[in-house]
């Protein structure tokens, strides 16, 4: 009997040893924002385990550097963030406390989207005066689908470097994603034709890449400067601008306060809407495809009502 148990244990051990290693996630991804965690899932599939530091109802500029985040960062193999100062209020603290050598700027485990994509609103001089939270240019880069593809390509490169044994899998997942994305992109580019040149107001400069990609026209933002709350004087001046010519919508993220938007909407009659902004922005937005599908659908609906 004893012997039987010995043999049984030995069998279990042998099975464990020879289980294909591919059935376990090999790379731990620490994403600063939900859009990058979603992209890592597209490229990494079952080979990656993703963690997101912020969710759709949090302003990624301002979160608390909680100890649980430090613990996650300590164990991560790949850090993916928007960069350009978006996480300046919390990431440096995590970075310092986690002390993870794999995530240093010269390592493949350090991936910042702002280093990959063409940046908008890049100032000539670095300037945080008056509380401007975009001193290095606009960091909300994921809302141009072309940027998503650029980051996907770089992320694939990094995953292959970090985990060469699964390089083929990362490459083929990237190719699948890229094909699907480019098909969606052609569809979206047809959809946005009716939106070109339409005037909009946004709460924060969160939508610059989206506006640029679609060809919308930004009248102004509710914030006088990125990160500075709306003032009465600024809103009164904005109301005049809105009255000068038709405006399609006043757009905000799910995490922005609604007060300024609703005030302007009430005074001007222009609809104030919330667009999903990132994964989880509304319950239906479970991946990057749905993020663009739904955002465009919401804008189209408003555009159709207006005509
Ligand atoms: Zn911002």
């Amino acid at each position: 009997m004893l012997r039987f148990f010995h043999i049984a244990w030995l069998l279990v051990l042998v099975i464990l040893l020879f289980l294909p290693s591919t059935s376990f996630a090999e790379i731990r991804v620490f994403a600063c924002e939900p859009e990058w965690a979603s992209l890592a899932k597209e490229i990494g599939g079952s080979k990656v385990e993703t963690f997101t530091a912020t969710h759709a109802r949090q302003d990624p500029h301002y979160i608390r550097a909680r100890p649980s985040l430090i613990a996650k960062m300590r164990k991560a193999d790949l850090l993916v963030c928007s960069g350009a100062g978006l996480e300046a209020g919390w990431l440096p603290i995590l970075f310092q406390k986690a002390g993870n050598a794999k995530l240093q700027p010269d390592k493949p485990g350090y991936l910042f989207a702002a280093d990959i994509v063409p940046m908008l609103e890049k100032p000539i001089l670095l300037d945080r005066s008056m509380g401007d939270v975009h001193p290095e240019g606009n960091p909300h880069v994921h809302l141009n689908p072309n940027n998503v593809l650029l980051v996907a390509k770089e992320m694939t490169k990094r995953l292959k470097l970090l985990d060469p044994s699964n390089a083929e899998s990362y490459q083929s997942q990237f190719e699948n994603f890229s094909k699907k994305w480019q098909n969606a992109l052609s569809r979206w580019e047809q959809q946005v034709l009716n939106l070109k040149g339409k005037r909009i107001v946004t709460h924060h400069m969160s939508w610059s890449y989206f506006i640029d990609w679609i060809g919308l026209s930004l009248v102004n933002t509710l914030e006088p400067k990125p990160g500075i709350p709306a003032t009465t004087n600024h809103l009164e001046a904005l109301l005049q601008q809105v009255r000068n010519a038709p405006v399609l919508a006043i757009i905000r993220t799910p995490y922005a306060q609604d007060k300024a938007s609703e005030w302007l909407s009430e005074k001007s009659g222009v609809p104030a809407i919330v667009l999903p902004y990132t994964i989880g922005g509304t319950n239906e937005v479970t991946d990057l495809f749905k993020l663009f599908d739904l955002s465009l659908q919401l804008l189209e609906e408003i555009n159709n009502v207006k005509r």
Side-chain angles (χ1 to χ4, degrees):
M1 192 64 181
L2 203 66
R3 198 174 199 170
F4 170 76
F5 275 116
H6 266 123
I7 291 166
W9 273 117
L10 208 69
L11 264 173
V12 168
L13 204 71
V14 166
I15 289 166
L16 279 177
L17 273 173
F18 286 92
L19 262 183
S21 56
T22 46
S23 61
F24 300 104
E26 333 241 313
I27 296 292
R28 290 190 187 120
V29 179
F30 183 107
C32 288
E33 292 84 22
E35 57 269 23
W36 306 128
S38 183
L39 189 60
K41 278 181 215 151
E42 297 279 359
I43 313 295
S46 61
K47 311 281 186 289
V48 301
E49 185 189 301
T50 58
F51 171 79
T52 316
T54 55
H55 59 73
R57 293 184 190 278
Q58 282 178 317
D59 183 341
H61 284 289
Y62 313 102
I63 62 158
R64 212 166 56 79
R66 302 187 305 276
S68 59
L69 295 179
I70 298 165
K72 285 284 180 189
M73 189 180 268
R74 199 168 278 148
K75 289 185 197 144
D77 303 296
L78 175 62
L79 172 69
V80 191
C81 302
S82 295
L86 180 65
E87 304 90 0
W90 50 276
L91 193 61
I93 307 161
L94 296 185
F95 214 73
Q96 188 206 344
K97 300 242 166 154
N100 185 337
K102 289 190 234 169
L103 310 183
Q104 298 307 307
D106 57 337
K107 294 285 190 314
Y110 178 98
L111 175 54
F112 277 43
D115 297 337
I116 315 292
V117 306
M119 294 287 288
L120 295 178
E121 298 154 25
K122 203 163 179 164
I124 300 156
L125 287 170
L126 195 105
D127 180 16
R128 282 187 194 276
S129 66
M130 291 173 67
D132 187 341
V133 291
H134 293 172
E136 298 165 48
N138 191 305
H140 304 274
V141 301
H142 71 287
L143 287 175
N144 180 334
N146 295 300
N147 289 349
V148 172
L149 200 55
L150 289 175
V151 179
K153 207 170 176 181
E154 186 63 27
M155 191 185 279
T156 308
K157 213 164 105 188
R158 303 299 182 89
L159 285 168
K160 285 157 82 177
L161 280 171
L162 292 165
D163 181 19
S165 63
N166 286 315
E168 265 177 44
S169 160
Y170 296 127
Q171 186 59 34
S172 79
Q173 299 243 62
F174 167 71
E175 279 161 20
N176 282 342
F177 172 76
S178 168
K179 215 165 126 193
K180 262 174 69 190
W181 195 253
Q182 287 182 55
N183 284 338
L185 195 55
S186 323
R187 191 177 73 234
W188 294 329
E189 278 170 354
Q190 283 300 311
Q191 269 179 284
V192 302
L193 291 176
N194 290 333
L195 296 168
K196 287 199 190 293
K198 300 282 172 181
R199 297 169 86 228
I200 57 156
V201 170
T202 67
H203 180 106
H204 172 77
M205 282 291 211
S206 319
W207 308 94
S208 296
Y209 292 85
F210 195 61
I211 291 166
D212 180 59
W213 169 61
I214 296 177
L216 292 164
S217 163
L218 178 68
V219 177
N220 208 334
T221 53
L222 297 169
E223 292 180 342
K225 257 190 152 204
I228 307 298
T231 60
T232 312
N233 281 348
H234 179 72
L235 287 178
E236 291 288 353
L238 185 50
L239 180 58
Q240 291 313 311
Q241 281 182 292
V242 168
R243 281 173 173 162
N244 284 342
V247 170
L248 181 66
I250 304 158
I251 298 171
R252 66 177 189 273
T253 57
Y255 58 80
Q257 289 196 352
D258 59 359
K259 221 174 127 195
S261 291
E262 296 302 338
W263 179 87
L264 188 63
S265 176
E266 210 169 282
K267 295 274 175 188
S268 64
V270 175
I273 58 167
V274 177
L275 290 185
Y277 179 73
T278 187
I279 316 303
T282 63
N283 290 342
E284 301 102 303
V285 177
T286 48
D287 64 25
L288 288 156
F289 292 92
K290 291 191 182 121
L291 171 62
F292 285 93
D293 277 337
L294 204 82
S295 303
L296 293 181
Q297 191 193 316
L298 288 167
L299 279 183
E300 265 186 334
E301 278 167 14
I302 286 231
N303 196 29
N304 290 340
V305 171
K306 295 288 278 188
R307 276 183 296 168

